[in-house]
């Protein structure tokens, strides 16, 4: 009767059958399981425990675990089983749903290999290096054991191909965040930002998930040759919103407008009577504009250029010439500065250079000269 029962039980299992087994022993390279309603032991080779490469069976299962398995081979004294195939079959259906819906899920990085990362989802999933982050990563060694959010970007069950992307999740989140920021931005707002990227024509500033451009002309009140002379990548800055183009997702910003203007406290920096160094910036018919501080120009009226009469400022001055000037008047509210050059120059003598002063005691008398003239009339 016993032999008959054994024969029936062995024949009741065929390749492909699903069975449930309880782990009774965990060896280094295989696992022994007890199958319900069977006197045959089940053996799971280490290669059939996981879709990933493992060194020891104990890395995946423990004694007492209940496992869903598939029969790979029927032998006289045991059944060869696979946990990996059941896990994969169950996983593919779920993964297909995630792929179709674009679901974002979290998973642990199981291994770092050449070219990317490996994730176990019941199926071996690969994350190419270019799809890990939105920025370049030189070394992924510290990613092992780390959990990240992913989206499935490629799935082919027949080829056993499953590609994941964490970068897609980041970019999707940034896209949503960008739309939220664009919707709330108002012209005139002053915001905190971070210099993200510097170009020849300005700097892109991250203002919370969206980048705005500070044109080179809006970096400083002073003339700027290169944006890198004024800002550096990663630098925190205050910016003012100049314009928002929501359709084209373009934002114009200004750093200059958050800074004190060049005329701020000019009355203290250039009080009446102060002598300053300046540079002639413009010559006009009525005078010369001299820059005494970055962005601050004062007028030297033509009458204040020289003591002698000049027809045009060009007779005495040239553009970019360095001069000393004296402050005659300052009006901070109207941003006006009156300057003088001639006040700092000595007045030339009005006596002709060829005139000789008469010597003293020459005996010359006015009466003598008049007497001589009278004699001639007689």
């Amino acid at each position: 009767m016993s032999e008959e029962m054994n024969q029936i039980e062995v024949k009741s299992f065929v390749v492909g059958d699903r069975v449930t087994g309880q782990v009774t022993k965990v060896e280094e390279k295989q696992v022994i399981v007890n199958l319900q309603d069977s006197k045959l032991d089940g053996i799971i080779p280490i290669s059939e425990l996981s879709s990933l490469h493992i060194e020891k069976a104990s890395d995946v299962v423990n004694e007492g675990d209940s496992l869903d398995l598939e029969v790979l081979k029927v032998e006289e004294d045991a059944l060869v089983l696979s946990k990996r195939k059941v896990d994969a079959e169950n996983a593919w259906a779920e993964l297909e749903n995630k792929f179709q819906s674009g679901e974002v899920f979290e998973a642990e990085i199981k291994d770092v290999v050449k070219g990317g990362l490996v994730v176990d989802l019941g199926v071996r999933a690969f994350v190419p290096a270019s799809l890990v982050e939105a920025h370049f990563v030189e070394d992924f060694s510290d990613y092992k054991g780390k959990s990240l959010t992913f989206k499935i970007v490629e799935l082919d069950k027949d080829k056993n191909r499953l590609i994941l992307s964490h970068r897609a999740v980041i970019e999707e989140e940034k896209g949503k965040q960008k739309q939220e920021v664009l919707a709330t931005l108002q012209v005139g707002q002053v915001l905190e930002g971070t210099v993200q990227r510097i170009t020849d024509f300005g700097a892109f500033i991250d203002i919370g998930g969206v980048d705005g451009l500070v044109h080179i002309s809006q970096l400083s009140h002073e003339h700027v040759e290169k944006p890198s002379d004024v800002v550096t990548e990663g630098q925190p800055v205050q910016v003012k919103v100049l314009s928002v183009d929501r359709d084209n997702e373009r934002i114009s910003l200004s750093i200059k407008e958050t800074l004190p203007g060049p005329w701020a406290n000019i009355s203290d920096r250039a009080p009446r009577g102060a002598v300053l160094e300046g540079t002639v910036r413009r010559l006009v018919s009525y005078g010369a504009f001299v820059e005494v501080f970055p962005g601050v120009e004062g007028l030297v009226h033509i009458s204040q250029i020289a003591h002698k009469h000049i027809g045009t400022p060009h007779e005495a001055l040239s553009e970019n010439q360095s001069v000393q000037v004296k402050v005659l008047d300052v009006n901070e509210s109207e941003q006006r500065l009156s300057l003088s050059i001639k006040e700092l120059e000595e007045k030339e003598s009005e006596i002709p250079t060829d005139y000789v002063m008469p010597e003293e005691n020459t005996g010359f008398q006015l009466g003598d000269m008049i007497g001589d003239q009278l004699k001639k009339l007689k």
Side-chain angles (χ1 to χ4, degrees), residues 251-356:
I251 303 165
S252 295
L253 305 171
S254 174
I255 292 176
K256 178 173 78 173
E257 293 208 12
T258 67
L259 304 173
W263 288 86
N265 303 317
I266 194 66
S267 298
D268 297 329
R269 293 184 291 149
R272 185 178 298 180
V275 176
L276 305 170
E277 289 287 335
T279 304
V280 178
R281 293 303 183 196
R282 287 179 294 140
L283 294 174
V284 292
S285 60
Y286 54 86
F289 286 94
V290 177
E291 186 179 50
V292 291
F293 296 108
V296 176
E297 292 182 2
L299 174 65
V300 180
H301 190 266
I302 190 170
S303 63
Q304 292 294 329
I305 292 176
H307 288 286
K308 66 180 182 180
H309 174 75
I310 56 173
T312 67
H314 294 81
E315 293 178 25
L317 299 171
S318 58
E319 290 185 358
N320 297 319
Q321 178 182 342
S322 294
V323 292
Q324 271 201 331
V325 293
K326 183 177 180 180
V327 179
L328 300 181
D329 190 34
V330 57
N331 188 323
E332 188 169 323
S333 61
E334 295 183 10
Q335 297 187 355
R336 291 173 61 185
L337 202 59
S338 296
L339 306 171
S340 174
I341 293 175
K342 81 175 186 181
E343 288 269 322
L344 299 176
E345 296 178 347
E346 289 186 12
K347 188 174 182 180
E348 294 182 5
S349 173
E350 295 178 356
I351 301 174
T353 57
D354 59 348
Y355 180 79
V356 179

Side-chain angles (χ1 to χ4, degrees), residues 143-347:
Y143 275 67
K144 187 173 182 178
K146 187 177 180 180
S147 289
L148 295 176
T149 49
F150 295 103
K151 286 184 72 173
I152 299 172
V153 293
E154 189 176 339
L155 182 149
D156 190 330
K157 182 180 177 181
D158 294 335
K159 295 181 179 179
N160 202 37
R161 181 176 173 83
L162 185 64
I163 305 298
L164 308 181
S165 174
H166 175 59
R167 177 177 178 174
V169 177
I170 295 172
E171 291 177 345
E172 187 176 281
E173 290 174 351
K174 285 184 72 173
K176 290 178 182 177
Q177 193 174 16
K178 186 174 185 178
Q179 292 306 315
E180 290 173 3
V181 173
L182 281 168
T184 57
L185 277 181
Q186 296 295 328
V187 172
Q189 270 184 294
V190 176
L191 306 166
E192 295 292 330
T194 304
V195 179
Q196 196 74 9
R197 189 161 49 93
I198 297 174
T199 67
D200 292 338
F201 54 85
F204 286 93
I205 312 298
D206 179 3
I207 52 174
V210 59
D211 288 351
L213 173 65
V214 177
H215 189 265
I216 189 170
S217 62
Q218 291 295 327
L219 285 170
S220 173
H221 290 291
E222 301 178 32
H223 175 71
V224 178
E225 289 289 342
K226 296 182 299 182
S228 57
D229 292 339
V230 182
V231 291
T232 56
E233 288 186 5
Q235 177 185 342
V237 290
Q238 267 200 335
V239 291
K240 184 177 181 179
V241 180
L242 299 182
S243 67
V244 182
D245 182 347
R246 292 181 174 83
D247 293 335
N248 295 305
E249 299 184 352
R250 291 178 181 171
I251 303 165
S252 295
L253 305 171
S254 174
I255 292 176
K256 178 173 78 173
E257 293 208 12
T258 67
L259 304 173
W263 288 86
N265 303 317
I266 194 66
S267 298
D268 297 329
R269 293 184 291 149
R272 185 178 298 180
V275 176
L276 305 170
E277 289 287 335
T279 304
V280 178
R281 293 303 183 196
R282 287 179 294 140
L283 294 174
V284 292
S285 60
Y286 54 86
F289 286 94
V290 177
E291 186 179 50
V292 291
F293 296 108
V296 176
E297 292 182 2
L299 174 65
V300 180
H301 190 266
I302 190 170
S303 63
Q304 292 294 329
I305 292 176
H307 288 286
K308 66 180 182 180
H309 174 75
I310 56 173
T312 67
H314 294 81
E315 293 178 25
L317 299 171
S318 58
E319 290 185 358
N320 297 319
Q321 178 182 342
S322 294
V323 292
Q324 271 201 331
V325 293
K326 183 177 180 180
V327 179
L328 300 181
D329 190 34
V330 57
N331 188 323
E332 188 169 323
S333 61
E334 295 183 10
Q335 297 187 355
R336 291 173 61 185
L337 202 59
S338 296
L339 306 171
S340 174
I341 293 175
K342 81 175 186 181
E343 288 269 322
L344 299 176
E345 296 178 347
E346 289 186 12
K347 188 174 182 180

